Amino acid sequence: MTRLSRRLILSLLPALPLAAALPGGVRAQDAAIRLRDLYNRDLSFSDLALSNEGQRITIAGFMAPPLRAESNFFVLTKMPMAVCPFCEPGMPWPDDILAVYAKRVVDVVPFNVPLQTSGLLELGDYVDPELGFYSKVRLTDATYGRA
């Protein structure tokens, strides 16, 4: 078995982005999607969101302060937020948050710790029957961990 030299490995690094374009390379489902990529400028769902509806995707972000203890629900935000980003009545749905319904009770993570969250993408209006939380987009059957 041949040992790869450090020089060879470093010389191959610039070719990695090209590998993503090859068949069998990195697919969109394997890479983290940004929250803003789920929407068009008019806040309609993007083609990326529509094409991934019902699929397992990964999104990076931060856990907002929880609405309730001992819940399997949390909100993922684009930026760390120490206060509730959606608690003002009458505010339009922000395009930089995502409702997350985890497979298990959520272990609260500090608001400034980056997370990778993976789950089934659901689009459309939904009101949580238990919490009364309204969402336009959410992940279900989700898992999460520190990024």
Side-chain angles (χ1 to χ4, degrees), residues 12-90:
L12 293 174
L13 286 177
L16 285 177
L18 297 174
L22 297 173
V26 176
R27 298 170 304 182
Q29 300 96 312
D30 298 332
I33 294 173
R34 295 176 298 191
L35 285 168
R36 70 176 181 223
D37 292 338
L38 297 175
Y39 296 95
N40 295 315
R41 285 198 171 145
D42 64 359
L43 293 183
S44 62
F45 295 121
S46 68
D47 290 340
L48 177 69
L50 294 170
S51 68
N52 281 288
E53 186 174 13
Q55 302 296 313
R56 182 163 289 277
I57 63 167
T58 299
I59 297 185
F62 300 87
M63 185 181 288
L67 292 174
R68 191 178 98 192
E70 300 295 317
S71 177
N72 71 331
F73 170 83
F74 70 93
V75 173
L76 192 72
T77 63
K78 178 176 81 174
M79 302 294 293
M81 297 190 170
V83 295
C84 177
F86 46 82
C87 292
E88 278 298 311

Side-chain angles (χ1 to χ4, degrees), residues 87-106:
C87 292
E88 278 298 311
M91 294 297 292
W93 177 258
D95 66 352
D96 57 358
I97 70 170
L98 177 74
V100 177
Y101 291 90
K103 290 183 177 186
R104 59 181 171 76
V105 172
V106 172

